[in-house]
Amino acid sequence: MSDSDDTQLEARLAEQESFEPPASFVEQANVSDPEIYEEFEENWPDCWERAADLLQWESDYDEVLVDDDEPFYEWFTGGELNASANCLDRHLDDRGDETAIHWEGELGESREYTYEDLHREVNETAAALRDLGVEEDDVVTMYMPMIPELPIAMLACARIGAPHSVVFAGFSADALATRMESADSEYLVTCDGYYRRGDPLNHLEKTNEGLADVAHDTTTVVVDRLGDALDHELAEDQLDYDDLVADHEGASVEAVTRDAEDMLFLMYTSGTTGKPKGVKHTTGGYLSYAAWTSHAVLDVKPEDTYWCSADIGWITGHSYIVYGPLALGTTTVMYEGTPDYPDKDRMWDIVDSYDVNQLYTAPTAIRAFMKWGSDYPDRHDLSSLRLLGTVGEPINPKAWKWYYKHIGGESCPIVDTWWQTETGGMMITTLPGVGTMKPGAAGPPLPGIDAQVVDEAGEEVAPGEAGYVTVNKPWPGMLRTLYKNDERFVSEYWEAYSDPDSDEWVYFPEDGAKIDEDDYITILGRVDDVINVSGHRLGTMEIESAVVGVEGVAEAAAVGGDHEMKGEAVYTYVILEDGYEEGEEMKQSIVEGVEDAIGPIARPEEVLFTPELPKTRSGKIMRRLLEDIANGEDLGNTSTLRNPEVVDDIQEKL
Ligand code: WT7
């Protein structure tokens, strides 16, 4: 293509506001009939049988939905199944020799597990865990990076009916301890370390720091990821994963029969208060929903090679690296490292060498690719790609179009999927074989999902006006409760918009949004005190308590400010106690304090010292104003503040 053709194309793309799914895609799509929306609506809730039908049930469910104790809904009640049997055993006859997981390490080594291999190792691990004493319904914590032993341990737990609780490996020792204590989890699977940008990183040290803060006894299994690259010594009561598995070579563990409503896993996520919430997901509803959305939205087919570049430590990895793809019997790719190691074309190298058909990634990554330039993808043959997806935060039209053109070669539909840890799977997105795409807008709610955009009073807003997302009907993948905290479950998600007297239950995801004439929803971001950094949810209260924990800090506020690459970044405003000095050293201890308490992802972008925080007359910190200051926005009238002069002070420092 000549330069001028290219420029013309860029100009056309820049103006184009909607895109049709390519005919070549529609022809082969798992879902291509627009009638599906009506079908689901007319046939609700029985429409969800279509999701359940993607699984193998040991005994049929009696009812699709039981709603006599709202908002404690139950799905597929009376049904029995096992998630690991659904992800492994049932594929053995037809697809035992096919690849289940392609794993690529950061240094370039790779491991391939066929369904048979994966089945074998999951059985051995399940036998080992059972021998250690793990019983049905015991919560097993996993604190591991992107290594195959993570999904293996998850599936081994599922096999014996022990819910897992995966803690993102980038989280701190404190975060591990809090989660293990909150879940009363007495078992931990972790590893010695892993590679980051080529360097071995000691993970066991961090694990041990965390374990020191867990009051109850724990049994810890350690995977040896680094071999000779990192010497590690196990404590006397810690067990080596390889030894355990070798001791159980060839073991076969029958998959236990679980009720549809039995817990499959817990996943902790941040909310408004400082305490992370233990989101509970179930076996039947969650797995059906993960499989259904992988089928309908990601268009996953057994013969595909599918890659979601998220980390399994987040819900995206649970639903769309492990459970959804494996339930459908496809090949799922797992990559251990960072996208720019050893060079900025690492992702495209993986797509090229494995012939990846679907790529599901985050806007923050796409913005980085865009900044690095199209030379990197251009070096590779990306023609195997059929579909692209994004998740985690809003994607701006410019990044969407770059992804569409430079990665998808203008022949792949893009699904911009809005959902949450709590929803278990995708909720708002176009169906790639059905809907027109509008860059920037996630799309309409999926078939069977009754999402709206409403004002404070719960009335639907007019097209173009800002409001809040609500979901007015339950769905199979929904969280069932917050672990051991039914009360907080009701108050966090249901109280805002429900009317229990008239039996109207409305789920409130705490996101702002607008909607257009075609019912396309554009997500505007969180409306609670949560910052979305590179698609990861961080609670401002958690950050603030970390900052206040640093010696010399009297008071702190953390807010999200716009950030070119990360979407949002953490800005902290700090008041010091008398006798402590503002300066680089103090900044450094605050940054370290936050990293220690939460993890490097929460690292403050800016630490601003101030003698006071802007407060309302009633003494509440004006967060909105602090956000505007961070974003360099016009502040308008600040005279309603108790202390307006402090604003100039802070602005001067920025
Ligand atoms: C929050 C949920 C869903 C898995 C990853 C994050 C934001 C998510 C989108 C999107 C705009 C999005 C929302 C949501 N979000 N997807 N496509 N467009 N915003 O899961 O950590 O539970 O965070 O991420 O604000 O509430 P999570």
Side-chain angles (χ1 to χ4, degrees), residues 267-270 279 310 314-317 320 360 363 390-395 415-426 428-429 440-442 507 509-512 521-528 530 532 535-538 568:
M267 167 117 257
Y268 282 87
T269 188
S270 298
V279 170
W314 307 99
I315 190 74
T316 308
Y320 300 115
Y360 190 33
T390 78
V391 59
E393 48 174 327
I395 178 163
V415 285
D416 171 358
T417 61
W418 176 88
W419 57 292
Q420 311 179 293
T421 304
E422 292 87 340
T423 68
M426 302 156 178
I428 300 176
T429 168
Y507 174 81
E510 306 194 84
D511 265 325
I521 295 175
T522 296
I523 303 292
L524 300 171
R526 304 285 310 184
V527 295
D528 56 355
V530 164
N532 188 332
H536 302 311
R537 212 161 131 178
L538 301 170
E568 279 189 293

Side-chain angles (χ1 to χ4, degrees), residues 500-550:
D501 294 335
S502 59
D503 242 8
E504 262 178 61
W505 290 89
V506 176
Y507 174 81
F508 181 44
E510 306 194 84
D511 265 325
K514 38 181 204 173
I515 191 160
D516 72 7
E517 312 70 35
D518 304 320
D519 271 352
Y520 275 53
I521 295 175
T522 296
I523 303 292
L524 300 171
R526 304 285 310 184
V527 295
D528 56 355
D529 292 327
V530 164
I531 309 178
N532 188 332
V533 179
S534 303
H536 302 311
R537 212 161 131 178
L538 301 170
T540 49
M541 282 271 285
E542 285 167 73
I543 301 170
E544 284 163 10
S545 65
V547 176
V548 173
V550 173

Side-chain angles (χ1 to χ4, degrees), residues 382-419:
L382 306 182
S383 62
S384 57
L385 288 171
R386 185 171 87 236
L387 171 135
L388 302 174
T390 78
V391 59
E393 48 174 327
I395 178 163
N396 50 311
K398 201 170 159 201
W400 192 103
K401 289 173 184 176
W402 188 92
Y403 194 34
Y404 185 74
K405 176 174 180 233
H406 294 284
I407 307 305
E410 296 187 73
S411 61
C412 300
I414 296 181
V415 285
D416 171 358
T417 61
W418 176 88
W419 57 292

Side-chain angles (χ1 to χ4, degrees), residues 44 90 95 142 172 235 330 430 460 531 599 651:
W44 199 94
R90 69 166 165 150
R95 310 191 40 78
M142 276 142 220
S172 67
T330 197
T430 50
E460 283 186 65
I531 309 178
Q651 271 179 318

